[in-house]
Amino acid sequence: MEPTQGPKPRTNIFGYLDETGLLHTPPTDRFFGMGLLTIKHPRELHRGIIQLKNAHNFHEEFKFQRINHRSLPIYQKLVDLALITNGLRFNCLVVDKKNVAIQKDKHTQIYNSYAGELIASSIDQTNHKDSEYITILADDLSTADSDRFEKIVSDKIKKAHRRNALFGICRLESDAVAEIQLCDVFIGTVVYAYKMEYGLASTKGSKAQFVRHLQKQLNILHLAEAQNRKLRNGVYFVINDKNDK
C-alpha cells in the first residue's frame, strides 16, 4: 500500500496593500486603484530601500504624488531596485468608475470585496510543491466598527484556494513601512498612466517621465492596460482592470 500523501509544505509570504483614489467619489473622479506587493523574504528589499535613502540623504516617505523634478532620480532608482529583487510580485486592480457601477453606500463592502479578490489572485497556485500562506500589512484606514474587512478577505481567499491561506491582517501607518510606500508608488504610477491615456493627466512633467521609466523597465509600450509581465528573478508585474461594459 502506498503511503498517504500529506499536506504540502507551507511557504509564508508578506503582502503590502495600498490604494489610490476613492470608490465613493463621483465617476468624474474616474479611476480607483488597489495594489498588492508580495515577497517571501522582504529583508533584501528593505535593506536596499534604506541604503538608497541614506545614500541620497532622503528622509521623506515615498509617495507617488510627491514625485517632482528634484525627487525623480531617486524614485527611478527605487523602481530599478524593486524590479531586480528576487521573487517580488506586484498585482493591482484598476477600476474605471465611468464603466463600473458602484452602489451608493456600498463602497466599503465593494472595497473589501476587491481587496479579497486581489489578495486571493496574488497567492501562487502554480507551485505544486508548496502552499503559500500570506500575511497582509495594509495602510491604515478609518473604518466603522462594523467593517468586516478581515472576514470578507478571508472568505474570498478560502473560496479561491479551498483553504485558509490568510495568516492575518495588520493595519499600519505607511510612513513606517517602506514596502507599503513602494506599493503606493507602483499603484500611483499605474493609475496615472490610465489618466494619461484618457487625457485626465499631463503627458509632460516628472510624473509622466516616471511612467515612461517604469514602462521601459518592464519592456512595454503601454502601462495603461491589463497585462501580466514576468521579469528575471521571479519578478511579476500584473495589472487587472475592472470594467462592467
Side-chain angles (χ1 to χ4, degrees):
M1 179 181 295
E2 294 183 3
T4 302
Q5 185 177 3
K8 292 188 291 186
R10 176 172 179 154
T11 297
N12 298 309
I13 61 173
F14 293 90
Y16 302 90
L17 184 71
D18 200 12
E19 69 281 327
T20 184
L22 297 169
L23 283 171
H24 61 274
T25 51
T28 49
D29 180 19
R30 186 165 174 175
F31 292 101
F32 169 83
M34 180 182 291
L36 181 70
L37 185 79
T38 58
I39 191 166
K40 183 178 179 181
H41 300 295
R43 182 173 182 270
E44 175 191 354
L45 174 64
H46 189 80
R47 284 173 60 90
I49 294 174
I50 298 305
Q51 289 171 1
L52 176 64
K53 295 182 76 168
N54 289 341
H56 288 263
N57 199 28
F58 186 85
H59 304 295
E60 303 173 16
E61 180 180 359
F62 282 116
K63 293 186 75 69
F64 176 78
Q65 290 299 331
R66 295 182 181 177
I67 295 175
N68 54 40
H69 180 72
R70 177 188 60 82
S71 64
L72 179 60
I74 190 172
Y75 276 85
Q76 290 174 329
K77 290 179 181 179
L78 174 68
V79 163
D80 297 348
L81 168 68
L83 295 180
I84 61 170
T85 300
N86 290 319
L88 182 142
R89 306 197 301 256
F90 176 73
N91 292 59
C92 71
L93 175 68
V94 178
V95 180
D96 184 347
K97 290 187 287 183
K98 183 177 180 181
N99 295 330
V100 176
I102 304 295
Q103 292 176 270
K104 187 177 181 180
D105 300 326
K106 296 289 185 180
H107 60 270
T108 298
Q109 296 95 313
I110 295 170
Y111 175 96
N112 294 345
S113 180
Y114 283 162
E117 291 174 13
L118 178 63
I119 296 168
S121 69
S122 300
I123 298 172
D124 188 9
Q125 298 191 69
T126 64
N127 187 343
H128 301 295
K129 294 182 179 180
D130 298 334
S131 294
E132 285 190 349
Y133 288 78
I134 193 167
T135 297
I136 296 296
L137 305 175
D139 192 14
D140 198 20
L141 294 174
S142 297
T143 57
D145 292 339
S146 59
D147 182 27
R148 300 171 64 246
F149 178 73
E150 288 82 359
K151 177 70 165 57
I152 291 173
V153 169
S154 179
D155 288 347
K156 288 282 186 180
I157 293 173
K158 286 180 183 177
K159 183 177 180 180
H161 295 271
R162 292 182 293 181
R163 58 187 171 87
N164 184 14
L166 176 69
F167 179 79
I169 298 174
C170 182
R171 291 283 193 181
L172 299 165
E173 294 292 341
S174 63
D175 60 358
V177 186
E179 294 80 6
I180 293 179
Q181 297 171 34
L182 176 58
C183 185
D184 175 280
V185 172
F186 274 146
I187 188 58
T189 308
V190 171
V191 169
Y192 193 86
Y194 273 82
K195 291 179 179 180
M196 287 171 57
E197 184 76 13
Y198 289 92
L200 301 174
S202 173
T203 57
K204 300 179 181 180
S206 54
K207 291 182 176 64
Q209 282 183 257
F210 190 71
V211 168
R212 290 189 284 270
H213 179 79
L214 180 55
Q215 288 175 168
K216 180 180 178 182
Q217 298 306 97
L218 295 173
N219 195 26
I220 58 176
L221 295 176
H222 300 286
L223 191 59
E225 59 186 18
Q227 54 195 294
N228 187 333
R229 298 293 299 166
K230 181 180 180 180
L231 308 178
R232 295 180 180 179
N233 302 323
V235 175
Y236 283 85
F237 199 98
V238 182
I239 300 174
N240 300 285
D241 50 29
K242 204 81 171 176
N243 194 327
D244 286 345
K245 291 187 178 180

